[in-house]
Amino acid sequence: MWCCRQGAYLASLYKAKKETLARLAGYLNNRIGNRHFTRTEEIDGIMKEKRWVVFNGEEDPTSLPAEWICWLNGQRKRAPTPE
């Protein structure tokens, strides 16, 4: 009998922990803005850097600041910082 209670208790603890982690992940995903990525690949024997953005929520290219647009287009070497 004691094992059954302990098993049920552990199962409820696991479920609560899982739900808490899921809520935290959802909160963080909603708080994080657009994500920007870069990849280097060889094209016609020349190494080129590809850059792209994954929007958080609705895809709206007009919502990107000018600094990020310049970085995506290769007009800036470094990605903008929060400062």
Side-chain angles (χ1 to χ4, degrees):
M1 191 74 161
W2 183 77
C3 287
C4 293
R5 286 186 202 155
Q6 185 179 15
Y9 173 73
L10 290 175
S12 67
L13 254 172
Y14 175 77
K15 182 179 177 186
K17 186 176 182 180
K18 188 176 175 182
E19 289 172 353
T20 302
L21 288 174
R23 275 194 304 248
L24 180 61
Y27 175 77
L28 290 176
N29 283 338
N30 289 335
R31 291 291 184 188
I32 296 174
N34 298 333
R35 294 180 299 175
H36 301 82
F37 299 93
T38 183
R39 173 180 78 224
T40 304
E41 60 184 41
E42 186 177 348
I43 299 174
D44 298 329
I46 301 170
M47 295 303 286
K48 293 197 174 188
E49 187 176 57
K50 296 291 182 181
R51 300 170 179 175
W52 69 97
V53 62
V54 175
F55 292 94
N56 180 21
E58 186 177 332
E59 293 185 18
D60 182 15
T62 61
S63 67
L64 289 175
E67 295 85 7
W68 282 104
I69 293 171
C70 291
W71 179 78
L72 287 168
N73 291 327
Q75 298 168 345
R76 289 179 67 131
K77 289 188 177 193
R78 294 185 187 175
T81 60
E83 295 120 15

